[in-house]
Amino acid sequence: MLPVVVVHGGAGTVPRERTEQSCAGVKEAARAGYDILQKGGSAIDAVTEAVTLMENNPTYNAGRGSVLNVKGEVEMDALVMDGKTLASGAVSAVRKVANPIQLARLVMEKTKHLCLTAEGASKFARDMGVPEVTEESLITDYAKMRWKKNLEPEANPVESQMGKMGTVGAVAVDKEGNIACATSTGGMINKMEGRVGDTPCVGCGGYADNKIGAVSSTGHGEAIMKVILCRLILFHMEQGKSPQEASDLALAYMKERVEGLGGVVVVDPKGTWAARFSSLQMAWAAVQQDQLHYGLYHGEDFIESVQEQTQ
Ligand code: GLY
């Protein structure tokens, strides 16, 4: 069944006017990841490329399009993990980089550490020659509008977060059977300055292990951290559950135990995949054997040939 790539564009409720672009963006990202795998590229390259494309797409809460913190600023988190070696790299509360996922990859490849944060991450980016971008280039009118709305006294940022859009992520298995995950986010809308969410935390925002599978998550970060969602799913898979069964069990547990909603994309070493969520919607896409699957609502699995153009 190998290879496969599965991506998500965030759990929540996608506003009607953004549903088409949300689906188009995940399809584009999944196609790009699959193209790398088809040419013999690695799972880690495929997930990095897929997430980079979604960070560049202002539709999603990652890179350009990130939600703003309470001060109206962009602070982003990202994680990448290689299932062959369990190496991982992450950045948290990083500012003024276009692609936090690529900086996370540099942390994995060029340092002895797993995560760099805030100003230390920015200094590392400069040392690595990663261009600094302006804060304005990352901020969309939509993000600004939502930030202002959530400053109002009656606002509920957690509900607002789940109600609009989320984190992006990808998992893949390559032709060699190597597995990887990548996840990137602007975090929680109107979060405190310096808040670090689930995304850069190994086992929470993602996990990849060639022996079990890989998961990338989206949803309410604090809830995901309380149940260590991605590693919990892989635990269920170690006990013999399929990616779909394991995801449903863990998402139901998170809902019941800490009232958290979210979504995941999952693969196992054979290339069996799942895209599951407890929120109302999650834009997702998967490519395997030249077929592109995608959906937005529960129960949807539209299929088209991978060669067909995204509208
Ligand atoms: N899951 C993204 C966040 O809460 O930061």
Side-chain angles (χ1 to χ4, degrees):
M1 282 204 292
L2 310 178
V4 62
V5 61
V6 196
V7 311
H8 67 77
T13 306
V14 182
R16 190 185 293 266
E17 68 279 8
R18 297 175 81 92
T19 55
E20 213 166 285
Q21 66 209 64
S22 284
C23 287
V26 290
K27 286 160 72 176
E28 181 195 24
R31 278 197 178 93
Y34 188 70
D35 191 46
I36 288 174
L37 298 177
Q38 276 299 79
K39 290 176 177 151
S42 66
I44 196 90
D45 281 348
V47 295
T48 306
E49 176 64 12
V51 168
T52 297
L53 284 176
M54 291 188 284
E55 287 177 336
N56 292 341
N57 186 332
T59 306
Y60 306 110
N61 172 19
R64 177 163 152 68
S66 287
V67 299
L68 309 184
N69 70 13
V70 72
K71 291 171 72 183
E73 302 160 339
V74 175
E75 292 178 295
M76 300 165 289
D77 299 338
L79 167 74
V80 65
M81 185 160 181
D82 182 348
K84 187 175 180 183
T85 58
L86 304 191
S88 69
V91 289
S92 66
V94 70
R95 296 168 185 249
K96 297 186 180 171
V97 293
N99 297 110
I101 200 66
Q102 291 185 10
L103 191 57
R105 177 103 184 243
L106 286 169
V107 172
M108 181 175 90
E109 290 174 350
K110 305 284 184 198
T111 80
K112 294 185 214 138
H113 305 302
L114 263 59
C115 184
L116 294 178
T117 194
E119 182 44 39
S122 299
K123 181 182 179 307
F124 174 66
R126 287 193 293 277
D127 291 347
M128 289 288 111
V130 174
E132 186 173 294
V133 299
T134 63
E135 178 126 31
E136 293 68 45
S137 69
L138 299 171
I139 298 179
T140 59
D141 290 344
Y142 187 66
K144 240 188 260 178
M145 180 274 287
R146 294 186 62 216
W147 168 69
K148 278 199 191 122
K149 208 164 165 222
N150 280 284
L151 288 176
E152 290 165 10
E154 68 279 12
N156 179 344
V158 173
E159 208 165 87
S160 178
Q161 175 88 356
M162 289 312 303
K164 294 295 183 295
M165 57 183 181
T167 302
V168 302
V171 291
V173 189
D174 63 29
K175 287 181 176 175
E176 308 288 321
N178 290 315
I179 296 179
C181 70
T183 310
S184 180
T185 189
M188 177 70 70
I189 192 162
N190 291 40
K191 62 190 178 183
M192 287 174 70
E193 189 181 10
R195 177 261 191 186
V196 175
D198 59 308
T199 295
C201 300
V202 175
C204 299
Y207 200 86
D209 183 344
N210 276 10
K211 292 180 191 288
I212 321 167
V215 186
S216 167
S217 72
T218 164
H220 181 210
E222 280 70 9
I224 290 170
M225 291 163 93
K226 284 175 189 168
V227 302
I228 316 178
L229 182 66
C230 295
R231 196 59 188 79
L232 180 59
I233 289 170
L234 292 175
F235 166 78
H236 288 309
M237 287 166 61
E238 285 177 294
Q239 309 305 309
K241 301 293 182 200
S242 69
Q244 177 168 327
E245 290 165 342
S247 304
D248 290 349
L249 274 173
L251 287 167
Y253 177 73
M254 185 168 85
K255 190 171 174 184
E256 177 207 311
R257 188 73 179 85
V258 295
E259 296 181 6
L261 298 181
V264 290
V265 289
V266 188
V267 287
D268 76 7
K270 290 188 197 144
T272 313
W273 60 271
R276 308 295 290 174
F277 47 100
S278 53
S279 53
L280 191 65
Q281 291 164 301
M282 181 179 81
W284 63 270
V287 188
Q288 188 170 51
Q289 294 175 331
D290 290 339
Q291 283 200 319
L292 185 142
H293 298 249
Y294 66 97
L296 182 65
Y297 287 95
H298 289 276
E300 284 183 351
D301 183 359
F302 300 112
I303 303 177
E304 59 188 49
S305 156
V306 76
Q307 272 88 27
E308 281 175 48
Q309 287 302 306
T310 302
Q311 333 65 332

